[in-house]
Amino acid sequence: MKLRSLTLTNVRKFGGQTATISGIGDGVTVISEANEFGKSTFFDALHALFFVKYSTAGKEVKSLQPRSGGAVRVQAELETETGRFVIEKSFLAQKRATVSRADNGTLIAQDDEAEKWIAALMDRGLEGPAGLLWVRQGTTALEPAGTAGADKTEKEKLLGARRDLLSSVAGEIDRVTGGRRMDRVLARCREELAKLATASGKAKAHGPWDAEQKEIMALEAREAELDAKCKELSKALSDRKTTEAELKNWGQVAAKEERQAALEQARETHAHALAHADKCTGAKRDFDLKSLQHTNAVKGLNDLLKAAEALKQAADAEAKLRSQLQEQDADVAAAKAEEQVAQADLTVALKALQDLRAQRDAAQLAELGRNARDEVARLAQRLEKAEKHREKLEEAQARLAGMAITQEVLDKITRSHGQLQQAKATADAQNVTLSVIYDSAARISLGGGELSENTPIPVYSKQEIALPGIGRLTVDPGARADEDSGRKAVEKAQAALDIALAAAQVVSLDRAHQAYAARRDAEHQVELAKGVIDTVVPEGLDALRGALAQARATAGDQDSDVSAEPVDLAEMTTALAIADDAAGLARTRYDRNRDNLGRLRETYAQTRAELATAEATLAQAKGVYGDVETFPERRDAAARQVSVCEISLKDAAEVLEGLTANAPDLDTTKADLKRAETVVEQAEKRIRSLQSQLVETNAKIRARAEDGVEEALTETRGQLDMARAREGRYSREVAALNLLVRELEGRRTQAREVYFEPVQRELQPLLSILHEDAALNFNPERLLPDGLARSGQQEDLEELSGGTQEQIAILTRLAFARLFASQGHAMPIILDDALVYSDDDRIVKMFTALHRVAADQQVIVFSCRQMAFAKLGGERPDVTVAPIA
């Protein structure tokens, strides 16, 4: 099976949206997106599609629903040996499951049949390979970490899947046992070994080997402490020599004089730069003043020239507007006469139209009176029918309000009942059972009830059995811890079921199902009544009552006109239309003449306003122009002033340019002065620091010389050599005993190696990519790796780093995936944010291992580490998110 696309609709963060991953390839496919994009949402939705029933409403499904609610839909396109198929499930609001062909959409199975089709595809359902090969975010171990509840069940399922796989590949393994002599020898070896070492090969606490090791540790600590003090003394002597040499160099008179001379030179250069900067500032102020004077002179000349031009334009505009005003006055008078004629015609037409409308209204009033009575009868009939169904609706709603049970409550009771049965089954398996076979008609009783024949009865505590005609028989199972825990588990499960039943106001699971069926019937009656009311009264009962009241009022108002003689409304409507057209024509003519008169009056008023403005503008222009006779003289004087200012401005610019061109860089001289001051300051600071260091170093040397650390170190090393020799003898003895135990167990180990050889064969090439000389040891009970052998050393899996444990877990999954494929159960490998603990070097090697498996196996990787997983390569499918169409 290979996954080709995955589509989520209204799932978690994609509420109201459709998110699709398409174009998933045969080998390695990488979906690399930032955090909170929704990668784990895709993984959890895919897991629900294959392993959660569509009708389920449990926590795992509800966790997929967005806050806005609604149906959760998951769809995947698959490719198998028989073709391409589309699997879709809808949870919660719209529960369904379908399987169809991808090429033509032909429906193959739906709902429960679709679930069977999916289970057959996965071969073993939850016990199949996907539970081992699909790795959730944050999960690196090969089985759940806990041991209780669902984790324990999941462990058993995964162990069964591994056992079935290895048995089908390697065949059933024979039981391997040794003779009694081997057992006695092994027991004696282990007994002697236990006196010296623990099961993990370490020295046993308070034993002779442990005592020697502790002695070595103490002497090694003493040696390290003395060695450190010797090194500290040697370093202090070296530091004193170095400090004295450096202090001599810094304190030379020539060096001090050189630093001081450089500082004085920097100060003099900076002062010269400041003086030149002041000259440049004065020249700039003079240039700015000359520039302002020139600007004012040019403005004065331009103002005179603009005034002459403005005076000519104002005079021309005033003469033109005066001529237009005379023409517009005549047009307004002619338009006013035409408007008065049109108004008289409109008055006549409106009077005729008003008379005809009065006649038409009287006739319509009489017709409304006759129709109102019919409307009252029709509305009253609809209201009566709706009221009957409203009473049924209220009765159904009252029944529904008194029912405490819901789908959620029923599910809780069902779960509690299942847990009670499971607890009883577990307790029954652990505890004493009692059964009887009768040879006569006599019967015995237990707990007030007759004991049935051939029916095992669990006995959790001390019980008395009545034997008619004989006496009483006491059965006491004892007080074993496992039986007590089983009984407590049954009591706890029974209490939980009782609480759930009490909340639902029922006494049993069957009664709960009956109560829920009654609730569903009441809900159906409510929906049915609502549907009928909506059909009969779509506008609502209150609106219908209002319409009936209005119809009755209308009928009451028209009672006096009902007997009036009917009038031909069609003829009256025709006459009214003719009169209305005539009035419309008259109004159109009047409106047109009135609008024309208004436009002419508006134009006339606008022209008068423009003329007044033009007159004011002309007067203002004359004032600005000034005396006509002196204007030429004033214009020539302004031109001469512009020439004089231009010459002064040019002279000031030449002076400023000369000073600026030869100016020193003030920021550079300032920086150089700062540098010279810092050199002198830091030199003095360094001399003081070296003098302080020299004092501290001399103090350390005197302290260590007085301690005699070198003599103490030589004595401690001699003691350490003797302790190591004694410890070596114990170490060799433990090694010899371990070697003997390993040799005796060799035959058994060889048989187990045959059992694990297929998975080791698949795993070894992958493991060698990370560790060339490494091999994994498998636990025969868990059928999983429990240790790593490399460089001749055995290491427990729990003692390895988190990154190495994670890498081994993923490589083991890859090996199992290849074994599943070899048995005809090819499944895609899906990793959600795996390899989070791997360093840069090993993560690239793991990428190589993934590609090696992906040569004939589909591998899908979700990751938020976009830069790190760029080196993985593989195909990058399209990921799209869009609103629900």
Side-chain angles (χ1 to χ4, degrees), residues 790-812:
R790 55 181 174 180
S791 302
Q793 297 294 324
Q794 295 287 340
E795 300 173 84
D796 290 340
L797 205 60
E798 292 78 9
E799 296 176 355
L800 300 175
S801 67
T804 303
Q805 290 187 45
E806 178 186 55
Q807 294 150 17
I808 290 174
I810 291 178
L811 292 179
T812 305

Side-chain angles (χ1 to χ4, degrees), residues 618-661:
L618 178 60
Q620 183 180 5
K622 288 180 179 179
V624 174
Y625 186 80
D627 183 44
V628 176
E629 294 181 355
T630 62
F631 181 79
E633 181 180 352
R634 286 186 280 118
R635 181 189 59 202
D636 294 342
R640 287 193 298 273
Q641 182 63 28
V642 169
S643 299
V644 172
C645 288
E646 285 179 349
I647 294 172
S648 298
L649 179 61
K650 183 179 180 182
D651 293 341
E654 290 177 353
V655 172
L656 178 60
E657 182 180 358
L659 289 172
T660 304

Side-chain angles (χ1 to χ4, degrees), residues 511-689:
R511 291 295 180 86
H513 281 289
Q514 294 172 6
Y516 183 68
R519 178 184 181 90
R520 293 296 301 271
D521 181 66
E523 290 175 345
H524 176 70
Q525 294 297 327
V526 169
E527 295 300 323
L528 181 61
K530 286 182 178 179
V532 173
I533 293 174
D534 291 343
T535 303
V536 175
V537 192
E539 71 274 25
L541 284 171
D542 291 340
L544 179 59
R545 293 190 186 101
L548 178 59
Q550 184 177 359
R552 285 173 174 166
T554 302
D557 293 341
Q558 302 302 327
D559 282 347
S560 60
D561 299 325
V562 171
S563 60
E565 185 70 23
V567 177
D568 190 346
L569 290 176
E571 293 182 358
M572 185 169 289
T573 300
T574 302
L576 186 62
I578 294 172
D580 190 49
D581 291 342
L585 292 174
R587 179 173 295 281
T588 299
R589 287 194 299 271
Y590 171 71
D591 290 342
R592 185 170 60 248
N593 290 329
R594 183 190 59 190
D595 292 343
N596 184 50
L597 177 60
R599 285 193 299 272
L600 291 174
R601 283 176 172 171
E602 183 178 350
T603 303
Y604 180 78
Q606 183 177 356
T607 303
R608 285 182 61 87
E610 291 176 355
L611 177 59
T613 302
E615 290 173 344
T617 302
L618 178 60
Q620 183 180 5
K622 288 180 179 179
V624 174
Y625 186 80
D627 183 44
V628 176
E629 294 181 355
T630 62
F631 181 79
E633 181 180 352
R634 286 186 280 118
R635 181 189 59 202
D636 294 342
R640 287 193 298 273
Q641 182 63 28
V642 169
S643 299
V644 172
C645 288
E646 285 179 349
I647 294 172
S648 298
L649 179 61
K650 183 179 180 182
D651 293 341
E654 290 177 353
V655 172
L656 178 60
E657 182 180 358
L659 289 172
T660 304
N662 298 323
D665 189 344
L666 185 61
D667 291 337
T668 300
T669 60
K670 183 178 179 180
D672 191 52
L673 175 59
K674 180 64 176 177
R675 180 194 59 77
E677 290 173 344
T678 304
V679 169
V680 173
E681 179 183 348
Q682 292 299 322
E684 295 174 352
K685 183 178 180 181
R686 182 58 178 165
I687 290 173
R688 291 194 299 273
S689 174

Side-chain angles (χ1 to χ4, degrees), residues 142-143 162 199-200 749 752 756 759-760 763 767 775-790 793-800 804-805 808-809 812 816:
L142 285 161
E143 58 183 1
R162 296 192 295 272
S200 62
T749 302
R752 289 173 179 172
F756 294 111
V759 69
Q760 288 278 29
L763 181 59
L767 185 62
L776 286 175
N777 302 322
F778 273 72
N779 184 296
E781 284 72 34
R782 294 169 54 232
L783 306 183
L784 289 175
D786 62 357
L788 176 68
R790 55 181 174 180
Q793 297 294 324
Q794 295 287 340
E795 300 173 84
D796 290 340
L797 205 60
E798 292 78 9
E799 296 176 355
L800 300 175
T804 303
Q805 290 187 45
I808 290 174
T812 305
F816 276 112

Side-chain angles (χ1 to χ4, degrees), residues 12-14 33-41 137 833 863-864:
R12 282 188 190 159
K13 68 169 296 173
F14 302 120
E33 300 289 349
N35 282 328
E36 299 185 356
F37 173 80
K39 301 181 298 301
S40 294
T41 297
Q137 180 179 1
D833 262 352
S863 178
C864 63

Side-chain angles (χ1 to χ4, degrees), residues 209-229:
W209 191 21
D210 179 61
E212 292 299 337
Q213 287 184 347
K214 289 180 178 178
E215 176 67 16
I216 290 173
M217 291 175 60
L219 290 172
E220 286 177 343
R222 175 63 174 164
E223 179 193 26
E225 179 184 358
L226 293 172
D227 185 59
K229 290 181 178 180

Side-chain angles (χ1 to χ4, degrees), residues 306-323:
K306 289 178 181 178
E309 181 64 23
L311 178 61
K312 181 177 181 305
Q313 292 178 356
D316 294 342
E318 191 271 344
K320 181 178 180 181
L321 288 172
R322 193 175 296 281
S323 174

